[in-house]
Amino acid sequence: MKREYLKIDRVHGALIELSKIHSVGYGEIVEVEDRLGNTMVGRVIKIDKDSVVVQVFGQTMGISVENTKVSFEGKPFEIPLSKKILGRTFNGLGEPTDGGGDIYSEKFFNVNGRPINPVSREYPRNFIQTGISSIDGLATLIRGQKLPIFSGAGLPHNELAAQIVRQAKIQSKEGDNKFSIVFAAIGVKHDEAFYFEDAFRKAGVQEKVVMYVNYADDPIMERIITPRCALTAAEYLAYEENQHVLVIMTDITSYGEALREVSSLREEVPSRKGYPGYLYSDLASLYERAGMIHGIDGSVTLIPILTMPNDDITHPIPDLTGYITEGQIVLARTLDQKAIYPPINVLPSLSRLMKDGIGEGFTREDHPDVSNQLFSSYSKVQEVRALAQIVGEEDLSDRDKYYMKFGDAFEDRFITQSFNENRDISDTLDLAWELLKILPKEELDRLNPDIIAKYME
Amino acid sequence: MRSMDNLTGKIEMINGPVIRGIEMTGFKMREMVTVGHKKLIGEIIAIDGDEGTVQVYEETEGLRKGEVIVSTGKPLSLKLGPGMLGNMFDGIQRPLKKIKEVHGSFIPEGIGLLSIDEEKLWEVKFQVSEGDYVKQGQIFGTVEETPLITNKLLIPIGVEGKVTWQIVPGEYNINEVLLKVKDIKGKDHEVKMHQEWPVRTQRPVAERLQIDKLLITGQRVLDIFFPIAKGGTAAIPGGFGTGKTMTQHQLAKWSDADIIVYVGCGERGNEMTEVLEDFPKLIDPKSNRPIMERTVLIANTSNMPVAAREASIYTGITMAEYFRDMGYHVAVMADSTSRWAEALREISGRLEEMPAEEGYPAYLPSRLAQFYERAGYVKTLSGESGSITVIGAVSPAGGDFSEPVTENTKRFVNVFLGLDKELAYARHYPAINWLNSYSGYSEMIQKYYEKELGENIAEIRKKMLSILYEESKLLEIVLLVGEDVLPDDQRLILEIARVIKIGFLQQNAFDDTDTYVPLKKQLEMLKTMELLYDRGLQSVKRGIPISVVRNTEIYEEIIKMKYTIPNDNIEKIQGLNAKINEFYNQLESEYSV
């Protein structure tokens, strides 16, 4: 029962208001057709008496209060999904843009998804080797985890993500046919999207990738739907097709800004920096869709990328993201300036699920102690460097000089690795031991004496 | 006849979790209602003429204008009875296991009102008999709820009189009438195994008692330096990644409360899963039973409906009060109260209320106070003593403690455990910053320490804290001029502070010995460090150079004593003390010639 309306009361940015509307469902999808026949999709975001506010995912340019056809579809925002989506490219609303034709499926999925019952979740414990020492060794990625990359404008987060895609061993032991990648580009530049396409091709996984792309010059409101389409596709692949899915989303900051724009159009009370008070819940409704479910052999691992405005980690978007995700990988401009790739600042980086996914039976027995010791020693390096700035390196005590040496070696050999270098976890740990030998033995207070005896000699 | 519990209204406005209805004359404030044909659960939060505003505890997508709002005639209430321990509930006490059985892995809307299991049979034993006079809050019988915890059946509040009838002892479900009580006016009351209680109302007690007992946590930095008292309140603020949840989990695992109510409020789904997987495996040392048997979990994860997040905190504290009234010591972990405050803010925004600081409603401080004040050490109506300790995590935006939730929480709690980003980066856990944390209970529970440990620990606590404080000042100087120029007695302070930090304050939650440390061992460890300082200082004063005074072997041995001294053989520590004395005696005699 489709109803069409021909009169709009008010157009205000991406919001249109209609009145004298009969039964309309909250969150229902709306089709808007202007007088030239251009159609756009929108969604009901408020019902008050007989008036309805619709948020349009597109340009409202050209819409007039008369001669615009608005029809209510009587259903929420749904996309059709089948296994055929692999290898395809869609726009931010889930419509194919690669000329490959529509996706035909009997199954339609609500892009908002539903919360996973915590009782049904399976606690993630399987280590994913990315081949990058600073991640594998110190902020280990676990299958089913949500681990964002906090970056800044101009830092090589895309390269890092591409390297993870190429090197990550996401699949289970049985074979490599059961993994796929979902890529959501939210307000990215054309060349960035192209870079990823190229990276997928080079990694030979283009047949396993589903792309949802909203370019920087695409309608801003689409950005609110783009990650939801991508995550819905990921959930479908993971839980209906038993795939291990790696989802890469970039850039969450653009998503947050789109959300702020809608909020200000709706004249809502802002909280920090003009972002709406529900930014946390809204981001959580995306991130929490990562995970694993008991009895289903699929998983959704999520790597959102966000650029911290002004490199400020306390900005609401990285801040609230950090409160929801299970750790973060932080890139630092200071390391990038020293030409260190990947410029991962290991101290604020963290993987919360690491503790249960490393060590004996997972990676290697010495892994927990070694990572702990590296963190502790490298944080000491920062203190010593601060001191050296003032008193000069020559006047440092002997102990401090060892730390200076360790710090440089750690950055040059452990963190630094080339874009094409794929290190096995045991190589990473062996390298760590080599570096720890630089320090006097009594400084290694995080290592169990038995482990020192086994690996040091 | 139109009875009070099927009044109906019509939906007029929908805005996220807030809806407004018309034709709602007769609906009551804070009454529970069902909304729409899916029968979503909601609560009335404002009434204006015949218009009522409802916050809905489920996803409102698909709801239509004109759908029906039905009253239930009662406020948002819990069913308090056996069957809560070991289970996980959502923010309004609906059992998640049951939801999974019926609806699968994802939570749909319109589940309806479920609560504790109504079919399970429990074996009832009575403590009263026909003819007895019973009062509200009195224990009339017991049920073995789990092998660890006996559920004591309470006469409901407002019921007093003579027992006129009693069912034969045996196995019954929670809806069975167990007693009939005739009150003074001749009215009959039926008493069941469960009772209903509105979540926003405090359960009554006989009187509040003075706080004077330590909540033993086995965590050194807490038990010795910043103690939490039974019946007290504590806040754990910290930016992301500083270990709030980790600390809460440690307390839930090891604190000597009888019952733990863990409220996961707007946090990660996997954290609740972790508790569900870990706790059944962890064995309580006192009873040799899994600690899950004393734990109730409430989960409103960050992607579950926001209005239920607001309710989840009250659900948790009401359950805690119920167990307290049986004479148990209950600890409530609320992780995180900031998400609860944000839920308040979101609802308030949708109601278009005038915001105060950072968009939070003006009633934020009073709501926080109401919540924390439900903690306390009390004499229950049945004459036993029980307590509720509330430990709330706070997640300040940007890690900045001057934001409204942290600031206002500080006003209503007595223990403040500030988590520090720098410490967390160096993987110093628990990352409790000893310089800005405090406990208002150290004085109140002094006698408790004296009784348990046979001595007053105020002196040594003060001495050690002042060493740490001194160190922080010295480090500023070191940063300017380097360590070498400091006099030896000040360098000794730096060395001892390092021993305290690594050997005492840092505690390894993943080590079997270190994860829980008995109080006695905590004190002995600290005394050994004090001895190390005193002897070192004495030697330094005699002009012995710090390079010799700081003996690497002894220092390392003391730092490692948390692992090497077994918890069940604390006496071994005397060997270490003897070694220290021997070394310094030797040293002093070498240098005295």
Side-chain angles (χ1 to χ4, degrees), chain B residues 527-558:
Chain B
K527 278 161 93 177
T528 299
M529 291 175 185
E530 186 190 24
L531 179 71
L532 185 72
Y533 174 65
D534 288 345
R535 293 303 310 255
L537 187 63
Q538 195 181 320
S539 299
V540 164
K541 279 186 178 153
R542 294 190 183 179
I544 306 175
I546 183 79
S547 53
V548 194
V549 170
R550 187 198 171 279
N551 178 287
T552 304
E553 193 195 324
I554 286 188
Y555 271 62
E556 291 314 304
E557 207 169 320
I558 287 177

mmCIF file of all heavy atoms in Angstrom, chain B residues 527-558:
data_model
loop_
_atom_site.group_PDB
_atom_site.id
_atom_site.type_symbol
_atom_site.label_atom_id
_atom_site.label_comp_id
_atom_site.label_asym_id
_atom_site.label_seq_id
_atom_site.Cartn_x
_atom_site.Cartn_y
_atom_site.Cartn_z
ATOM 1 N N LYS B 527 55.890 -3.866 54.871
ATOM 2 C CA LYS B 527 56.836 -3.712 55.976
ATOM 3 C C LYS B 527 58.250 -4.062 55.548
ATOM 4 O O LYS B 527 59.218 -3.450 56.004
ATOM 5 C CB LYS B 527 56.395 -4.591 57.159
ATOM 6 C CG LYS B 527 55.315 -3.920 57.996
ATOM 7 C CD LYS B 527 54.575 -4.900 58.828
ATOM 8 C CE LYS B 527 55.154 -5.061 60.225
ATOM 9 N NZ LYS B 527 54.290 -6.009 60.997
ATOM 10 N N THR B 528 58.371 -5.048 54.677
ATOM 11 C CA THR B 528 59.696 -5.401 54.166
ATOM 12 C C THR B 528 60.285 -4.230 53.380
ATOM 13 O O THR B 528 61.468 -3.917 53.489
ATOM 14 C CB THR B 528 59.600 -6.663 53.292
ATOM 15 O OG1 THR B 528 59.109 -7.715 54.100
ATOM 16 C CG2 THR B 528 60.945 -7.047 52.716
ATOM 17 N N MET B 529 59.430 -3.565 52.604
ATOM 18 C CA MET B 529 59.908 -2.412 51.841
ATOM 19 C C MET B 529 60.289 -1.264 52.771
ATOM 20 O O MET B 529 61.245 -0.534 52.509
ATOM 21 C CB MET B 529 58.833 -1.960 50.854
ATOM 22 C CG MET B 529 58.650 -2.991 49.758
ATOM 23 S SD MET B 529 57.301 -2.602 48.643
ATOM 24 C CE MET B 529 57.328 -4.077 47.629
ATOM 25 N N GLU B 530 59.537 -1.145 53.858
ATOM 26 C CA GLU B 530 59.863 -0.116 54.836
ATOM 27 C C GLU B 530 61.228 -0.401 55.464
ATOM 28 O O GLU B 530 62.060 0.488 55.629
ATOM 29 C CB GLU B 530 58.783 -0.073 55.924
ATOM 30 C CG GLU B 530 58.967 1.074 56.908
ATOM 31 C CD GLU B 530 58.038 0.959 58.117
ATOM 32 O OE1 GLU B 530 57.614 -0.177 58.432
ATOM 33 O OE2 GLU B 530 57.759 1.989 58.746
ATOM 34 N N LEU B 531 61.441 -1.682 55.778
ATOM 35 C CA LEU B 531 62.727 -2.079 56.361
ATOM 36 C C LEU B 531 63.857 -1.748 55.397
ATOM 37 O O LEU B 531 64.891 -1.209 55.776
ATOM 38 C CB LEU B 531 62.697 -3.579 56.670
ATOM 39 C CG LEU B 531 63.980 -4.155 57.263
ATOM 40 C CD1 LEU B 531 64.169 -3.670 58.695
ATOM 41 C CD2 LEU B 531 63.954 -5.684 57.234
ATOM 42 N N LEU B 532 63.623 -2.051 54.124
ATOM 43 C CA LEU B 532 64.639 -1.776 53.106
ATOM 44 C C LEU B 532 64.971 -0.293 53.080
ATOM 45 O O LEU B 532 66.132 0.097 52.974
ATOM 46 C CB LEU B 532 64.113 -2.230 51.739
ATOM 47 C CG LEU B 532 65.093 -2.132 50.576
ATOM 48 C CD1 LEU B 532 66.169 -3.203 50.681
ATOM 49 C CD2 LEU B 532 64.372 -2.274 49.234
ATOM 50 N N TYR B 533 63.937 0.529 53.226
ATOM 51 C CA TYR B 533 64.144 1.972 53.214
ATOM 52 C C TYR B 533 64.879 2.415 54.472
ATOM 53 O O TYR B 533 65.890 3.123 54.404
ATOM 54 C CB TYR B 533 62.798 2.693 53.098
ATOM 55 C CG TYR B 533 62.913 4.196 53.228
ATOM 56 C CD1 TYR B 533 63.599 4.933 52.267
ATOM 57 C CD2 TYR B 533 62.342 4.871 54.313
ATOM 58 C CE1 TYR B 533 63.717 6.302 52.382
ATOM 59 C CE2 TYR B 533 62.464 6.252 54.426
ATOM 60 C CZ TYR B 533 63.146 6.965 53.465
ATOM 61 O OH TYR B 533 63.265 8.318 53.579
ATOM 62 N N ASP B 534 64.385 1.950 55.619
ATOM 63 C CA ASP B 534 64.981 2.389 56.882
ATOM 64 C C ASP B 534 66.456 2.015 56.965
ATOM 65 O O ASP B 534 67.296 2.837 57.326
ATOM 66 C CB ASP B 534 64.221 1.775 58.064
ATOM 67 C CG ASP B 534 62.846 2.406 58.235
ATOM 68 O OD1 ASP B 534 62.626 3.475 57.626
ATOM 69 O OD2 ASP B 534 62.012 1.829 58.950
ATOM 70 N N ARG B 535 66.762 0.791 56.627
ATOM 71 C CA ARG B 535 68.161 0.360 56.694
ATOM 72 C C ARG B 535 69.000 1.104 55.664
ATOM 73 O O ARG B 535 70.138 1.479 55.931
ATOM 74 C CB ARG B 535 68.278 -1.159 56.461
ATOM 75 C CG ARG B 535 67.671 -2.045 57.543
ATOM 76 C CD ARG B 535 68.241 -1.789 58.942
ATOM 77 N NE ARG B 535 69.667 -1.781 59.043
ATOM 78 C CZ ARG B 535 70.396 -2.774 59.574
ATOM 79 N NH1 ARG B 535 69.807 -3.853 60.054
ATOM 80 N NH2 ARG B 535 71.712 -2.693 59.635
ATOM 81 N N GLY B 536 68.420 1.299 54.468
ATOM 82 C CA GLY B 536 69.151 2.029 53.439
ATOM 83 C C GLY B 536 69.449 3.455 53.881
ATOM 84 O O GLY B 536 70.570 3.948 53.747
ATOM 85 N N LEU B 537 68.439 4.082 54.476
ATOM 86 C CA LEU B 537 68.593 5.467 54.905
ATOM 87 C C LEU B 537 69.667 5.578 55.985
ATOM 88 O O LEU B 537 70.511 6.478 55.970
ATOM 89 C CB LEU B 537 67.252 5.997 55.417
ATOM 90 C CG LEU B 537 67.215 7.484 55.752
ATOM 91 C CD1 LEU B 537 67.479 8.318 54.490
ATOM 92 C CD2 LEU B 537 65.878 7.878 56.362
ATOM 93 N N GLN B 538 69.629 4.618 56.900
ATOM 94 C CA GLN B 538 70.615 4.597 57.983
ATOM 95 C C GLN B 538 72.025 4.514 57.401
ATOM 96 O O GLN B 538 72.926 5.239 57.800
ATOM 97 C CB GLN B 538 70.323 3.380 58.860
ATOM 98 C CG GLN B 538 71.016 3.396 60.208
ATOM 99 C CD GLN B 538 70.668 2.108 60.968
ATOM 100 O OE1 GLN B 538 69.531 1.639 60.934
ATOM 101 N NE2 GLN B 538 71.649 1.537 61.627
ATOM 102 N N SER B 539 72.189 3.642 56.410
ATOM 103 C CA SER B 539 73.500 3.482 55.797
ATOM 104 C C SER B 539 73.921 4.739 55.054
ATOM 105 O O SER B 539 75.079 5.165 55.136
ATOM 106 C CB SER B 539 73.487 2.304 54.818
ATOM 107 O OG SER B 539 73.173 1.118 55.486
ATOM 108 N N VAL B 540 72.968 5.321 54.316
ATOM 109 C CA VAL B 540 73.295 6.532 53.572
ATOM 110 C C VAL B 540 73.741 7.626 54.539
ATOM 111 O O VAL B 540 74.700 8.355 54.294
ATOM 112 C CB VAL B 540 72.064 6.996 52.748
ATOM 113 C CG1 VAL B 540 72.231 8.427 52.289
ATOM 114 C CG2 VAL B 540 71.873 6.089 51.540
ATOM 115 N N LYS B 541 73.044 7.706 55.688
ATOM 116 C CA LYS B 541 73.406 8.740 56.666
ATOM 117 C C LYS B 541 74.795 8.522 57.213
ATOM 118 O O LYS B 541 75.439 9.457 57.682
ATOM 119 C CB LYS B 541 72.377 8.754 57.807
ATOM 120 C CG LYS B 541 71.132 9.534 57.416
ATOM 121 C CD LYS B 541 70.194 9.680 58.572
ATOM 122 C CE LYS B 541 68.982 10.506 58.164
ATOM 123 N NZ LYS B 541 67.806 10.158 58.966
ATOM 124 N N ARG B 542 75.247 7.281 57.192
ATOM 125 C CA ARG B 542 76.612 7.027 57.644
ATOM 126 C C ARG B 542 77.622 7.256 56.535
ATOM 127 O O ARG B 542 78.783 6.873 56.657
ATOM 128 C CB ARG B 542 76.730 5.591 58.141
ATOM 129 C CG ARG B 542 75.910 5.380 59.383
ATOM 130 C CD ARG B 542 76.192 4.075 60.024
ATOM 131 N NE ARG B 542 75.313 3.940 61.176
ATOM 132 C CZ ARG B 542 75.302 2.876 61.950
ATOM 133 N NH1 ARG B 542 76.123 1.880 61.716
ATOM 134 N NH2 ARG B 542 74.481 2.824 62.973
ATOM 135 N N GLY B 543 77.168 7.792 55.428
ATOM 136 C CA GLY B 543 78.089 8.156 54.363
ATOM 137 C C GLY B 543 78.394 7.037 53.386
ATOM 138 O O GLY B 543 79.318 7.140 52.573
ATOM 139 N N ILE B 544 77.633 5.960 53.446
ATOM 140 C CA ILE B 544 77.875 4.877 52.491
ATOM 141 C C ILE B 544 77.233 5.262 51.162
ATOM 142 O O ILE B 544 76.078 5.694 51.136
ATOM 143 C CB ILE B 544 77.268 3.556 53.006
ATOM 144 C CG1 ILE B 544 77.807 3.279 54.410
ATOM 145 C CG2 ILE B 544 77.578 2.405 52.062
ATOM 146 C CD1 ILE B 544 77.212 2.073 55.074
ATOM 147 N N PRO B 545 77.959 5.173 50.047
ATOM 148 C CA PRO B 545 77.414 5.642 48.762
ATOM 149 C C PRO B 545 76.208 4.824 48.303
ATOM 150 O O PRO B 545 76.137 3.619 48.535
ATOM 151 C CB PRO B 545 78.576 5.487 47.783
ATOM 152 C CG PRO B 545 79.549 4.586 48.451
ATOM 153 C CD PRO B 545 79.345 4.704 49.925
ATOM 154 N N ILE B 546 75.318 5.525 47.614
ATOM 155 C CA ILE B 546 74.055 4.912 47.189
ATOM 156 C C ILE B 546 74.301 3.727 46.259
ATOM 157 O O ILE B 546 73.557 2.750 46.257
ATOM 158 C CB ILE B 546 73.154 5.979 46.514
ATOM 159 C CG1 ILE B 546 71.778 5.394 46.113
ATOM 160 C CG2 ILE B 546 73.782 6.569 45.285
ATOM 161 C CD1 ILE B 546 70.814 5.278 47.215
ATOM 162 N N SER B 547 75.374 3.778 45.469
ATOM 163 C CA SER B 547 75.631 2.689 44.532
ATOM 164 C C SER B 547 75.829 1.367 45.266
ATOM 165 O O SER B 547 75.527 0.297 44.737
ATOM 166 C CB SER B 547 76.865 3.014 43.688
ATOM 167 O OG SER B 547 77.935 3.341 44.543
ATOM 168 N N VAL B 548 76.316 1.447 46.499
ATOM 169 C CA VAL B 548 76.493 0.221 47.280
ATOM 170 C C VAL B 548 75.223 -0.101 48.070
ATOM 171 O O VAL B 548 74.827 -1.255 48.200
ATOM 172 C CB VAL B 548 77.673 0.376 48.278
ATOM 173 C CG1 VAL B 548 78.069 -0.984 48.827
ATOM 174 C CG2 VAL B 548 78.843 1.053 47.609
ATOM 175 N N VAL B 549 74.606 0.957 48.566
ATOM 176 C CA VAL B 549 73.393 0.760 49.369
ATOM 177 C C VAL B 549 72.309 0.095 48.536
ATOM 178 O O VAL B 549 71.585 -0.779 48.999
ATOM 179 C CB VAL B 549 72.892 2.123 49.918
ATOM 180 C CG1 VAL B 549 71.510 1.977 50.540
ATOM 181 C CG2 VAL B 549 73.878 2.671 50.925
ATOM 182 N N ARG B 550 72.231 0.531 47.279
ATOM 183 C CA ARG B 550 71.237 -0.079 46.397
ATOM 184 C C ARG B 550 71.839 -1.351 45.813
ATOM 185 O O ARG B 550 72.447 -1.356 44.765
ATOM 186 C CB ARG B 550 70.866 0.874 45.272
ATOM 187 C CG ARG B 550 69.722 0.351 44.455
ATOM 188 C CD ARG B 550 69.620 1.048 43.111
ATOM 189 N NE ARG B 550 68.638 0.381 42.280
ATOM 190 C CZ ARG B 550 68.874 -0.720 41.597
ATOM 191 N NH1 ARG B 550 70.060 -1.294 41.617
ATOM 192 N NH2 ARG B 550 67.914 -1.278 40.868
ATOM 193 N N ASN B 551 71.640 -2.438 46.534
ATOM 194 C CA ASN B 551 72.172 -3.712 46.088
ATOM 195 C C ASN B 551 71.196 -4.341 45.107
ATOM 196 O O ASN B 551 70.049 -4.649 45.445
ATOM 197 C CB ASN B 551 72.375 -4.625 47.303
ATOM 198 C CG ASN B 551 72.871 -5.985 46.888
ATOM 199 O OD1 ASN B 551 72.122 -6.781 46.345
ATOM 200 N ND2 ASN B 551 74.141 -6.247 47.129
ATOM 201 N N THR B 552 71.637 -4.519 43.875
ATOM 202 C CA THR B 552 70.740 -4.984 42.805
ATOM 203 C C THR B 552 70.050 -6.297 43.170
ATOM 204 O O THR B 552 68.838 -6.442 43.003
ATOM 205 C CB THR B 552 71.536 -5.169 41.511
ATOM 206 O OG1 THR B 552 72.178 -3.948 41.233
ATOM 207 C CG2 THR B 552 70.613 -5.520 40.363
ATOM 208 N N GLU B 553 70.826 -7.208 43.716
ATOM 209 C CA GLU B 553 70.261 -8.534 43.988
ATOM 210 C C GLU B 553 69.111 -8.457 44.997
ATOM 211 O O GLU B 553 68.035 -8.997 44.783
ATOM 212 C CB GLU B 553 71.370 -9.439 44.519
ATOM 213 C CG GLU B 553 70.989 -10.901 44.536
ATOM 214 C CD GLU B 553 71.958 -11.702 45.409
ATOM 215 O OE1 GLU B 553 73.167 -11.366 45.412
ATOM 216 O OE2 GLU B 553 71.493 -12.617 46.101
ATOM 217 N N ILE B 554 69.361 -7.728 46.095
ATOM 218 C CA ILE B 554 68.332 -7.621 47.123
ATOM 219 C C ILE B 554 67.114 -6.872 46.593
ATOM 220 O O ILE B 554 65.978 -7.287 46.776
ATOM 221 C CB ILE B 554 68.907 -6.917 48.378
ATOM 222 C CG1 ILE B 554 69.830 -7.885 49.095
ATOM 223 C CG2 ILE B 554 67.787 -6.434 49.294
ATOM 224 C CD1 ILE B 554 70.318 -7.423 50.427
ATOM 225 N N TYR B 555 67.368 -5.779 45.885
ATOM 226 C CA TYR B 555 66.244 -5.003 45.357
ATOM 227 C C TYR B 555 65.387 -5.839 44.410
ATOM 228 O O TYR B 555 64.162 -5.805 44.466
ATOM 229 C CB TYR B 555 66.757 -3.736 44.639
ATOM 230 C CG TYR B 555 66.894 -2.555 45.571
ATOM 231 C CD1 TYR B 555 67.776 -2.612 46.655
ATOM 232 C CD2 TYR B 555 66.157 -1.396 45.384
ATOM 233 C CE1 TYR B 555 67.899 -1.543 47.514
ATOM 234 C CE2 TYR B 555 66.277 -0.317 46.248
ATOM 235 C CZ TYR B 555 67.153 -0.392 47.310
ATOM 236 O OH TYR B 555 67.269 0.659 48.167
ATOM 237 N N GLU B 556 66.056 -6.592 43.536
ATOM 238 C CA GLU B 556 65.290 -7.393 42.586
ATOM 239 C C GLU B 556 64.486 -8.466 43.307
ATOM 240 O O GLU B 556 63.357 -8.776 42.953
ATOM 241 C CB GLU B 556 66.216 -8.050 41.549
ATOM 242 C CG GLU B 556 66.845 -7.075 40.580
ATOM 243 C CD GLU B 556 65.855 -6.064 40.017
ATOM 244 O OE1 GLU B 556 64.841 -6.482 39.443
ATOM 245 O OE2 GLU B 556 66.083 -4.841 40.189
ATOM 246 N N GLU B 557 65.118 -9.027 44.361
ATOM 247 C CA GLU B 557 64.422 -10.072 45.095
ATOM 248 C C GLU B 557 63.166 -9.529 45.768
ATOM 249 O O GLU B 557 62.128 -10.189 45.818
ATOM 250 C CB GLU B 557 65.368 -10.678 46.135
ATOM 251 C CG GLU B 557 65.028 -12.098 46.468
ATOM 252 C CD GLU B 557 66.114 -12.758 47.293
ATOM 253 O OE1 GLU B 557 67.323 -12.520 47.020
ATOM 254 O OE2 GLU B 557 65.759 -13.482 48.232
ATOM 255 N N ILE B 558 63.245 -8.305 46.238
ATOM 256 C CA ILE B 558 62.084 -7.708 46.901
ATOM 257 C C ILE B 558 60.997 -7.363 45.887
ATOM 258 O O ILE B 558 59.811 -7.586 46.126
ATOM 259 C CB ILE B 558 62.525 -6.484 47.729
ATOM 260 C CG1 ILE B 558 63.270 -7.006 48.953
ATOM 261 C CG2 ILE B 558 61.338 -5.625 48.130
ATOM 262 C CD1 ILE B 558 63.833 -5.996 49.847
#
